[in-house]
């Protein structure tokens, strides 16, 4: 079956760095997405990785290793507004998105 | 940027009535749109995939006669919750994939349905 695993909840301190991991087993691979979702709102797009390596976009970076079925989202200089759920999603061979359950990130002052 | 508008954002209805939620891609054409529901503190659950001009593909366990999906144009998909019951109360979100794009989804703002 298809499976996306990511931690349920993480806590970090304002100004610090946090890494949210995502492992996946899917039938085929056509890219991995990270979305941010604040409570009661729709998800917003953060990143898309289809090749191995690190993609940096401001305070957020996303890494992919296709051979290991692994990705992480790195958030630097954490701000209180970064408190949200972070969803990992993989596009399979049928171009369908398989969603992880999301990681709730709690930022403390 | 690509904008998806969802309407209404909040709706309260009586048990047994039907509610229609619209999802519009404002500045792009979307051959494919997706409908999700999300219960509090849970992740998105895909309900159905809607392709313009054809019948929607429903996920296992989703009643197609209860959740009617129509995708009559490249910019509009609608979800109708028929004979709504309190257990249908949820956050319904649509997303659209721009025609020709490989994967990025653009999400609507979501619609919170409360059935009394």
């Amino acid at each position: 079956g298809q499976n996306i695993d990511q931690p349920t909840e993480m806590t970090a301190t304002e100004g610090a760095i946090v890494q949210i991991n995502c492992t996946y087993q899917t039938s085929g691979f056509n890219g991995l997405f990270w979305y941010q979702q604040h409570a009661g709102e729709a998800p917003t797009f953060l990143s898309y990785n289809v090749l191995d390596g690190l993609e940096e976009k401001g305070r957020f970076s996303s890494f992919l290793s296709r051979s290991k079925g692994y990705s992480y989202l790195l958030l630097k200089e954490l701000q209180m507004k970064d408190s949200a759920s972070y969803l990992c999603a993989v596009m399979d061979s049928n171009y369908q998105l398989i969603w992880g359950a999301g990681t709730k990130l709690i930022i403390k002052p | 940027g690509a904008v998806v508008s969802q309407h209404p954002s909040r709706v309260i209805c009586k048990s047994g009535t039907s509610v229609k939620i619209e999802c519009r891609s404002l500045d792009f054409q979307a051959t494919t749109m997706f409908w999700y529901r999300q219960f509090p503190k849970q992740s998105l659950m895909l309900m159905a995939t809607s392709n313009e001009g054809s019948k929607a593909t429903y996920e296992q366990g989703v009643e197609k006669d209860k959740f009617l999906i129509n995708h009559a144009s490249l910019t509009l998909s609608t979800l109708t919750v028929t004979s709504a019951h309190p257990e249908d109360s949820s956050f319904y979100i649509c997303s659209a994939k721009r025609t020709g794009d490989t994967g990025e989804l653009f999400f609507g703002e979501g619609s919170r349905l409360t059935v009394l």
Side-chain angles (χ1 to χ4, degrees):
Chain A
Q2 309 205 91
N3 193 47
I4 309 283
D5 285 316
Q6 52 181 130
T8 305
E9 187 174 295
M10 299 182 70
T11 302
T13 305
E14 190 177 14
I17 299 173
V18 71
Q19 177 174 310
I20 303 174
N21 295 325
C22 172
T23 58
Y24 62 90
Q25 296 105 40
T26 57
S27 53
F29 179 83
N30 278 301
L32 185 145
F33 298 80
W34 283 97
Y35 283 85
Q36 179 191 62
Q37 185 179 27
H38 286 100
E41 298 179 13
T44 55
F45 171 78
L46 291 178
S47 68
Y48 170 65
N49 293 68
V50 67
L51 298 176
D52 289 351
L54 186 68
E55 295 273 347
E56 297 186 74
K57 193 184 293 185
R59 293 190 298 115
F60 292 5
S61 302
S62 56
F63 171 83
L64 174 68
S65 169
R66 288 172 296 172
S67 62
K68 295 182 179 178
Y70 168 69
S71 171
Y72 67 72
L73 179 69
L74 190 72
L75 292 77
K76 302 176 186 176
E77 301 170 16
L78 286 171
Q79 301 174 10
M80 297 303 293
K81 66 178 183 179
D82 296 330
S83 292
S85 285
Y86 292 84
L87 306 173
C88 171
V90 172
M91 182 165 290
D92 68 9
S93 56
N94 294 317
Y95 292 94
Q96 297 296 317
L97 272 183
I98 313 300
W99 292 87
T103 298
K104 182 179 179 181
L105 178 63
I106 300 169
I107 309 296
K108 294 186 175 180
Chain B
V3 178
V4 175
S5 176
Q6 200 170 327
H7 177 81
S9 57
R10 292 178 183 271
V11 57
I12 300 172
C13 69
K14 293 182 179 180
S15 185
T17 61
S18 295
V19 174
K20 180 186 283 187
I21 301 170
E22 293 186 347
C23 178
R24 292 181 185 273
S25 56
L26 297 185
D27 51 0
F28 67 98
Q29 292 185 333
T31 308
T32 305
M33 290 185 172
F34 303 89
W35 286 96
Y36 306 83
R37 67 187 298 181
Q38 186 175 35
F39 292 105
K41 300 182 181 181
Q42 295 187 28
S43 186
L44 300 170
M45 186 191 81
L46 180 65
M47 298 176 66
T49 301
S50 168
N51 291 299
E52 185 265 338
S54 63
K55 290 184 178 180
T57 302
Y58 289 82
E59 295 299 301
Q60 193 172 13
V62 178
E63 301 173 59
K64 61 181 181 181
D65 294 330
K66 181 169 183 63
F67 298 99
L68 301 179
I69 291 172
N70 184 281
H71 193 160
S73 78
L74 286 171
T75 59
L76 174 65
S77 177
T78 60
L79 167 68
T80 302
V81 183
T82 62
S83 186
H85 291 287
E87 57 265 30
D88 298 325
S89 298
S90 188
F91 192 48
Y92 292 87
I93 307 173
C94 73
S95 69
K97 188 163 68 174
R98 185 161 43 193
T99 302
D101 277 6
T102 55
E104 184 180 352
L105 298 179
F106 302 95
F107 283 85
E109 309 94 325
S111 300
R112 185 162 300 284
L113 171 64
T114 303
V115 184
L116 303 176

